[in-house]
Every structure is written in structure tokens, then in C-alpha cells.
Amino acid sequence: MPPVPQRWRGICETGTEFNTSYCNKKLIGARKFSQGMKQVGLNISSTDDYDSPRDYMGHGSHTSSTAGGSPVQHADYFGYAKGTATGMAPLARIAMYKVIFYSDGYDVAATDTLAGMDQAIEDGVDIMSLSLGFFETPFHENPIAIGAFAALKKGIFVTCSAGNSGPRGYTMLNGATWLTTIGAGTIDRQFGAEVTLGNGSIIVTGTSIYPENLFISRVPVYFGLGNRSKEVCDWNSLDPKDVAGKFLFCDYDDESSQFRQMSENDRYGPDIAGATGAIFSEDDAEFLHPDYFYMPIVIVSTKDGNLLKNYIMNTTNATVSVKFGLTLLGNKPAPKVAYFSSRGPDRRSPWTLKPDILDPGYHILAAWVPKRGFAPIREDDYLLTDYALVSGTSMSCPHVAGIAALLKAAHRDWSPAAIRSALMTTADVIDNADGRIIDMTTEVAGTPLDFGAVHVNPNKAMDPGLVYDIVAEDYINYLCAMNYTSQQRVLTNVADNSSVYRAVISAPQGMKALVQPTALTFSGKNSKAEFNMTVEIDLEAASVTPQSDYFGNYGFLSWYEVNGRHVVRSPVVSAIAFPET
């Protein structure tokens, strides 16, 4: 990489298992912030953390490599997802700010997080990525909201995770309007295993990420037919003498999905009574997490599970063969809204759509700490890995950070608001099956309160045509409820040519929207035009009954370029704001 820019003011601090020689032209800064915890008498653990910027758990390595990791060939997770691992902005430089340590308290972490953000601003970062969040408080009490506003005034783009408390509404974190808040979606890649019935007449593919390139051949199958506890493989009811050395068939085809009702401790149970492995029949594979078990686990659809069950019930000495380590591409539909992704509205600012956008955050392959056991294969026996498959909005957030770095490099004059606008107004609203993006939990179409402006499209964001640009003073006016309201917006032409755009409103029953004027003319690059939009909602006409799940209905305001190719699209959402209890 070329020399570090002279404008960079950051440093690399020394500490436990970390010294300045670990920094280079790629990792140009590394600091830790622990004065807050030390002020209240807490010490950094010497067994479960490092008193240095070094990453102990793997979270920081994973997120930073996602945002700006250099290309690495032959990366994989025990044979899954083989290929070249590349960050979103592989030529970007990275500075790490470690602000949370093992056993941190909430207030302590808040103090150190704000200190880290202030230092990052002083050091001269361009993009700030925070895969963390704090309980939603008034903005003047929220360290990330405070730090991000200071960053905004310096032209620094700040992106944050929405949180992992979905799928219910009002679970958002990082809802300040000046933040770019990211939800998590799936990608069109699935990891699995191939299950072949003993006679070879039926072969099905299931979900699995068991971390061994393993082939199990012609193993006897056990199914506890007639005893529901045994049918669902309740480990407390299984007799080790019946299941030892066999592959279990666990039938979860009922709607109650008993697996969802188990406690986390149950899920992280030991090997099931000495069995060789297990096949779960369950459509909601996302809730089963194969890595919860210290044994080979495969999840098949209820449809395929019925095939297996019929074979087992009608075959003497039934057997199965299982081949692990499959990576399946081109799965449809994708993306879906991940079940854990926190949903809007934001409790502190429900008038602004949150989350802003959806990004990949489900089973994402990225770097991991090499000396920390990660993949369970037996109780108290974990394999080491340089790359890990991890899910969460922590994983989706750095995708946007890297994309924002690319946009900033291409458009040096764009403000943080312009970058966010470009990402949102060019987002894809259709999945790879040509349908509306669905919710993983319900398997029906999601809403903007689940996925924001929908799924990011980096290439389209590079050339959005128009952007909604906002400066710090506008946010102040918004917070003061003066001058800037939810009805008034300003568009800026970022294309090189003059243009005319016409408004097209797609409104559902019960929503009436009016835009004035209906056409905007731009004389050239950076020219601006104003419009007003008024929205009326009739929930009764829309046949919507307000429920605890907040949602009313939604449509879109789209600006179409006349005799051009640009489309600038924004969701218009109605939701029910309930008072806090």
C-alpha cells in the first residue's frame, strides 16, 4: 500500500501481546480506552482479555476485516465458503479503537466508547463503524449519539448496528437521525450436508455447519415413534442404550416448534445420549443453529423430513449416509430479513424511518482470532480457525462502512447525509426471486420497519442522480422542532448534467400523499430544488388494527428522471407510536 497520508494523526499503543510493530500501512492505528472502568475500580482481566488494543474475542477482527480486509485466497470455515475473502473496501486503511472489555459495566463502557469516538475524530478518520449499541436513552444521554453528532460536524460518516433483539418492533438501538443504522439480512449462500437414505433412492440436502469434512456411511437410524418426547429427541427421555452409535431422526414438524421453546442451556447440551449425530425435520432451520451442538447435526425441511420419516417407519434396519461440508450458492429467495435483526420504529425518534437499510449479516465469513477455540466438536473440545461464520447486525454494519469508504473515495465532496441518501434511495426492493424481500421469521413480505429502504446496492449508490443532503444545523432544527419538519425536504443534483425529475407516489389503501411541485428542474451539478410532501393516514380505511407490533402501512415516493435512468426512491411509512411504559 502507498504511504500513510500525512493528515493521519493516530498512533499505535503498546500493551499486552501488542506493540507498535503490529501496525503497518494497512493497520495505521490501534488504541484502547479503559479509563472509565479503571475510574470505578475495575481491572482488565488477565485471563479473558488483553490490556491492550489486541482483540481477544474475535468480534473486532471479524468486523474490521469485513469493512476493509485485504484479499486473502483460500479462506474458508472448515471447508465451507471456500474462496477469496475480501473486505468491502480492500484498499482502505483501518484504525482500531477498543472500548469494551470483559466484565465491563454499562456506564463504564459508555464512558470509554465516547472517549474512543472523540479520539477517532481527533485522529482524522473518514468513516466510523460501531458494531455495538447502548440502551435507547434521550440522545443527550447516549454516548454514540453524542459522539456521532460531533463526527457529523467534521464530515465523518458514522454507521451503527441496529441490534439483535428482533423480530418484534421497537427493539431498535442507535436510532438517532444522524446515524446510519443497519439491519441484517441473509445472502444467497447456504451451508449444508447431503443425506442419502440407505437404499440410495432418496437424497436430500439439509442445513449444517458442522466443522469437519466428514462422511458418515450407512449408520443405523433411530426414531422414537409413539413417544413425542423421544420423537423430538428430548435428551432427558432418550435411553443411551437405544441411540448409542446411531443417527437420530428428530421430528419437529408441528407448528409449536418445541425447539424454539428450549432454553439456551438446553440447546448447548452435550452429545445426545451418545448418538453419532442427528437429523432435525424443521422448516425454521434458522432457529436450530447447528453450532449449538457438540455433534454432527443436519436440519432438513419438513417436506424432506416426511420423506425420511416414511422411509424409517417402513424399512427394517434403516440407515443413512451423511456428507458434510457443502456450500450451496444461488439460493432463493434472498436476501431475507434475519430473524434477530432489531426492528423500528425507534422509541426516541419514531418520526424518522429506522433502520436505514439492510445489509448482509447472516453467516458471514470473516477473520477471527487464531488462538481462541471457536467450533465445538465435543464437550469442552473446540477447534481453532482463522475465519469464522458469524451472524448479527455487528456483521452487517461494517459492510456499509466499507461501501461508504468507496463512495467517499469516489465523491470527496459528499457529506455523510449525501452518502446515506445515495445508499438508501438506490437500494434494491426486490429479492433474487423477483418478489418483495421477506421476513425470515414469518416467511411473508417484510416492511420498511424491518428493513428500512431495503437492501444496499453499492454500484447503484455510486451514481444516485439526486441526494437528500442535510447539514448539522438541519439536525439541530429537527431536534428543536423548528424550521425543519418531516414534511419539508431538499434534493441536490449530484450528476454532471441538467435534469428534470417527476414524482411518482405508490400509496396503499388508507394512505393519501401529495407532492408539490410534482416536477423538479435542476440546472446542473450541485443545483438544488425543494418540494413539500403531505401525507394523510386513515387507518380505518386501510383496515389496520393498531397492535403491539406497531405497523400501519407503507408506500414509496419515487423521483424518475425524465429521459434519463436515475430513480430516487424513499419509503413512506405509517406506524403507531405507543407511549412508553
Side-chain angles (χ1 to χ4, degrees), residues 214-279:
L214 184 65
F215 176 65
I216 298 174
S217 179
R218 303 296 293 269
V219 176
V221 184
Y222 172 86
F223 178 47
L225 181 64
N227 183 318
R228 191 54 185 158
S229 294
K230 292 183 179 182
E231 287 180 351
V232 299
C233 300
D234 178 353
W235 9 115
N236 295 317
S237 66
L238 294 174
D239 188 337
K241 292 183 295 184
D242 294 334
V243 303
K246 299 179 181 179
F247 230 88
L248 307 180
F249 178 74
C250 309
D251 183 19
Y252 283 89
D253 63 357
D254 63 329
E255 295 181 358
S256 64
S257 188
Q258 295 182 29
F259 191 92
R260 297 192 203 182
Q261 301 171 21
M262 295 180 183
S263 69
E264 189 173 90
N265 290 333
D266 289 333
R267 296 186 187 186
Y268 281 100
D271 292 354
I272 304 176
T276 299
I279 300 172

Side-chain angles (χ1 to χ4, degrees), residues 61-76:
S61 301
H62 199 278
T63 53
S64 59
S65 63
T66 298
S70 299
V72 178
Q73 295 182 339
H74 312 300
D76 69 280

Side-chain angles (χ1 to χ4, degrees), residues 475-487:
Y475 291 112
I476 294 173
N477 291 336
Y478 172 80
L479 292 173
C480 295
M482 296 171 59
N483 299 329
Y484 181 81
T485 72
S486 58
Q487 291 179 316

Side-chain angles (χ1 to χ4, degrees), residues 272-527:
I272 304 176
T276 299
I279 300 172
F280 287 89
S281 174
E282 165 66 271
D283 279 327
D284 292 317
E286 295 82 9
F287 295 90
L288 288 171
H289 294 286
D291 51 333
Y292 279 169
F293 297 89
Y294 311 127
M295 61 185 299
I297 296 292
V298 184
I299 303 102
V300 299
S301 68
T302 298
K303 178 181 178 181
D304 288 340
N306 288 334
L307 293 176
L308 270 64
K309 182 165 61 174
N310 290 334
Y311 161 75
I312 295 168
M313 293 171 58
N314 294 289
T315 304
T316 303
N317 300 322
T319 63
V320 295
S321 299
V322 185
K323 176 67 173 71
F324 292 88
L326 302 181
T327 299
L328 308 172
L329 304 177
N331 290 278
K332 296 182 179 182
K336 301 178 183 179
V337 183
Y339 68 93
F340 54 78
S341 187
S342 290
R343 315 302 168 96
D346 175 63
R347 290 186 179 275
R348 298 294 172 178
S349 183
W351 310 280
T352 305
L353 176 62
K354 291 287 179 176
D356 290 299
I357 204 165
L358 196 70
D359 253 66
Y362 186 74
H363 280 172
I364 302 302
L365 182 79
W368 202 253
V369 290
K371 298 180 180 180
R372 196 76 50 230
F374 180 80
I377 55 171
R378 285 172 291 276
E379 190 170 8
D380 298 324
D381 191 358
Y382 294 80
L383 299 180
L384 307 180
T385 180
D386 290 336
Y387 289 85
L389 291 170
V390 186
S391 300
T393 55
S394 284
M395 287 62 248
S396 54
C397 173
H399 280 85
V400 168
I403 296 168
L406 298 176
L407 293 177
K408 186 72 172 179
H411 303 284
R412 297 286 184 177
D413 58 335
W414 279 14
S415 68
I419 293 174
R420 181 169 72 247
S421 173
L423 291 168
M424 294 178 67
T425 59
T426 61
D428 291 332
V429 299
I430 302 298
D431 62 24
N432 64 355
D434 295 325
R436 285 289 172 90
I437 292 175
I438 67 174
D439 188 322
M440 179 187 285
T441 310
T442 62
E443 293 294 324
V444 299
T447 76
L449 293 170
D450 302 319
F451 47 53
V454 203
H455 198 272
V456 69
N457 186 319
N459 291 337
K460 287 184 179 179
M462 195 68 74
D463 181 19
L466 305 176
V467 296
Y468 292 97
D469 206 358
I470 303 173
V471 296
E473 189 65 28
D474 294 320
Y475 291 112
I476 294 173
N477 291 336
Y478 172 80
L479 292 173
C480 295
M482 296 171 59
N483 299 329
Y484 181 81
T485 72
S486 58
Q487 291 179 316
Q488 183 183 53
R489 298 182 184 188
V490 178
L491 280 164
T492 302
N493 182 29
V494 292
D496 292 327
N497 56 300
S498 60
S499 57
V500 176
Y501 284 79
R502 294 192 181 278
V504 175
I505 296 175
S506 172
Q509 184 177 358
M511 176 184 288
K512 184 184 299 183
L514 176 65
V515 172
Q516 294 179 322
T518 58
L520 300 177
T521 300
F522 299 89
S523 59
K525 187 172 184 178
N526 295 324
S527 59

